[in-house]
Amino acid sequence: MSEFVVPCLFGLEGPAADELRRIGLDNVRAENGRVRFDGDALACAKANLRLRTGERVLLLLGSFPSPSFDALFEGVKALPLADYIPRDGQFPVKGYCLNSALHSVPDCQRIIKKAAAVALGRAYGTQWLPETGALYQLQFSVIKDRAEIYLDTTGAPLFKRGYRPGHVSAPLRETLAAALVGFARYRGRDAFLDPFCGSGTIPIEAALIAHNRAPGLNRAFAAQQWAFAPASVWREAAEEARSLEYHGEYRIFASDIDPKAVALSRENARRAGVERDIVFSVADACALTPPAETGVVVCNPPYGERMLEKQQAQALYRAFGAARLPGWKRFIISSDADFERCYGRQADKKRKLYNGMLQCNLYMYFT
C-alpha cells in the first residue's frame, strides 16, 4: 500500500476529496492545496482516469526533516528509488519551497538530483545512468523545513483532457470548470446553460459529468510506462470506468456572442465525444431567451483585468444582471470584487476559488 498526493487549485480540496471517496479509494484526507489517499497501482490508475478536479496524482516516496542541504541530500539518498526507477529511467527534478530555511528551488533541485543519482547508482552498481528510458518525474515540496519527495504518475496535468488544443482568451481550466458544474449540482436531469461558452469548457465538462464519463479515457499517463503499473491495471480501471457510464438525452445549451468561439466550442465538443449532447448557438448573453422554463446557468463571463476592459466587463455584468431568467439558478465566477454591485444583486452564497493564481468568487443565485 502506497500513499498518493493530489495537488489541486485552492478551494477545490473538498470536491477532489469527495471524488476520491466516490471512486472508492482509502483513507482520503484533504489539506490546503492537496488531497491524500492510500492505495496500490490500481488505485493510482483509477484516480488518474476518473478524477475531474485534481491537477495530478503523485506517488509519495518519502517525507523527512530538511533543515539543511545535507539533511535533504541524506533523506533523498535513503529513499527506495530503485523500487520504481529502472537503470535507464529519466528522473528530472522540479518542485517548490515554502516557509523553509531551504528557499532556493534551483539548489534543492541540484541536491535532490545528485542524491537520487547516488542512490540509483549504488543500487545498480554503476556510476553512470544513461537516462534514455521512460520518464520518472521527481517532484518535491519543502514546507516548514520538511521535505516530501514524489513521483509524478500523471505526466501532462489532469486538466489537459485532450479535447481542447485550441482556446480563446482567458481559458478556464477543465478541473475548475468541472468543479463549477459540481457546485451547481448538475447531474444531467435539468436544463443547463452557459451563455459565455468561450472554448466550450464548461458545457463539455457538464456533458461528461452527465454521462459519468471518465475524463482521462482518451489520454495517456506517465505511469503507463512503468513496471509499477502494468497494462492490465490500466485496462481494468478503464473497463470499470466505462461500465459506470450513463447513456441518456441531455439538455445542455451553450452560446457566445463571438461566432469563432462557438465554432471552436463545437469542435472541442466533437473531440470530447459530446457534440450531440450540446446545442450551440451565437447569441448575446444579455438578450437571451431561456431555452427551458427552469434550469441552471453556469458561466465564466469576461473578467477585464486592465482598466478599460474592467469597465467593459462591469457594463456587461450590469446588462447580464438585468436579463431576467426566472426559474433558473445561476452560478457565476468572477475575479471582480464589485461583481455583485454591478450585477445588481447580492449572491445567496459565495465561495472563494482560484483560476490559476487569480483569486475569484463563485456567486450563487438560487432564485
Side-chain angles (χ1 to χ4, degrees):
M1 190 72 70
S2 301
E3 182 175 336
F4 294 88
V5 178
V6 176
C8 52
L9 294 173
F10 286 107
L12 300 191
E13 301 91 345
D18 289 342
E19 278 195 274
L20 292 168
R21 293 187 186 101
R22 286 195 298 271
I23 291 170
L25 304 184
D26 295 330
N27 196 20
V28 176
R29 58 265 192 213
E31 303 174 355
N32 283 338
R34 57 190 182 183
V35 182
R36 298 176 187 268
F37 69 92
D38 297 338
D40 55 10
L42 180 59
C44 171
K46 287 182 178 182
N48 273 300
L49 286 167
R50 294 167 60 181
L51 190 59
R52 301 184 192 280
T53 55
E55 296 299 301
R56 57 182 69 248
V57 180
L58 305 176
L59 170 62
L60 179 66
L61 297 177
S63 176
F64 49 86
S66 56
S68 66
F69 286 124
D70 285 343
L72 181 63
F73 181 89
E74 294 300 326
V76 172
K77 193 174 72 171
L79 296 176
L81 298 177
D83 289 353
Y84 300 96
I85 305 174
R87 185 182 182 279
D88 66 344
Q90 301 178 55
F91 55 102
V93 180
K94 62 182 178 182
Y96 65 93
C97 305
L98 185 65
N99 298 328
S100 295
L102 306 183
H103 57 268
S104 170
V105 170
D107 285 341
C108 288
Q109 287 176 299
R110 178 177 54 82
I111 293 294
I112 292 170
K113 180 72 175 183
K114 183 178 179 181
V118 169
L120 291 169
R122 182 177 58 193
Y124 294 116
T126 181
Q127 294 185 341
W128 180 75
L129 297 165
E131 293 198 58
T132 55
L135 177 65
Y136 295 78
Q137 176 70 60
L138 284 172
Q139 293 214 17
F140 69 89
S141 67
V142 181
I143 303 176
K144 296 181 179 178
D145 294 336
R146 187 166 191 86
E148 289 195 342
I149 310 298
Y150 321 94
L151 274 176
D152 178 9
T153 73
T154 301
L158 290 175
F159 69 80
K160 294 190 176 181
R161 316 284 206 225
Y163 64 73
R164 195 178 66 168
H167 58 77
V168 293
S169 60
L172 196 70
R173 280 192 188 180
E174 288 84 339
T175 44
L176 180 54
L180 299 184
V181 176
F183 289 133
R185 299 186 181 278
Y186 175 74
R187 295 294 183 273
R189 296 184 181 88
D190 305 315
F192 184 97
L193 170 64
D194 178 3
F196 299 95
C197 69
S199 57
T201 311
I202 291 175
I204 290 171
E205 292 296 320
L208 293 173
I209 287 171
H211 281 288
N212 198 33
R213 182 172 300 159
L217 285 173
N218 294 324
R219 55 158 289 175
F221 301 94
Q224 287 176 300
Q225 305 299 316
W226 302 357
F228 165 76
S232 59
V233 164
W234 296 93
R235 283 196 300 270
E236 181 179 348
E239 288 169 4
E240 180 185 24
R242 291 190 180 97
S243 74
L244 297 171
E245 284 191 20
Y246 306 135
H247 302 283
E249 298 294 328
Y250 306 108
R251 295 175 297 158
I252 301 174
F253 302 90
S255 59
D256 199 286
I257 200 168
D258 182 358
K260 292 181 180 178
V262 173
L264 179 58
S265 294
R266 184 178 285 110
E267 176 61 18
N268 289 341
R270 184 193 64 77
R271 291 192 187 96
V274 296
E275 183 181 11
R276 72 176 187 86
D277 300 300
I278 306 171
V279 177
F280 291 100
S281 62
V282 178
D284 183 349
C286 303
L288 277 174
T289 300
E293 289 187 5
T294 61
V296 58
V297 172
V298 180
C299 63
N300 173 40
Y303 297 164
E305 291 304 302
R306 293 188 288 270
M307 181 58 68
L308 181 59
E309 291 176 346
K310 187 171 184 177
Q311 292 172 353
Q312 293 172 337
Q314 289 183 341
L316 176 63
Y317 300 155
R318 283 190 285 271
F320 186 48
R324 297 303 172 191
L325 289 169
W328 285 73
K329 298 177 182 178
R330 283 147 287 166
F331 296 78
I332 308 168
I333 188 171
S334 176
S335 66
D336 193 334
D338 291 328
F339 174 83
E340 289 168 295
R341 178 183 61 79
C342 297
Y343 190 70
R345 180 181 162 189
Q346 274 198 315
D348 296 314
K349 188 177 179 181
K350 288 192 294 188
R351 186 176 185 121
K352 185 187 295 184
L353 297 171
Y354 282 81
N355 184 6
M357 298 302 295
L358 185 63
Q359 182 178 320
C360 303
N361 277 299
L362 177 62
Y363 298 94
M364 310 181 204
Y365 298 89
F366 303 129
T367 58

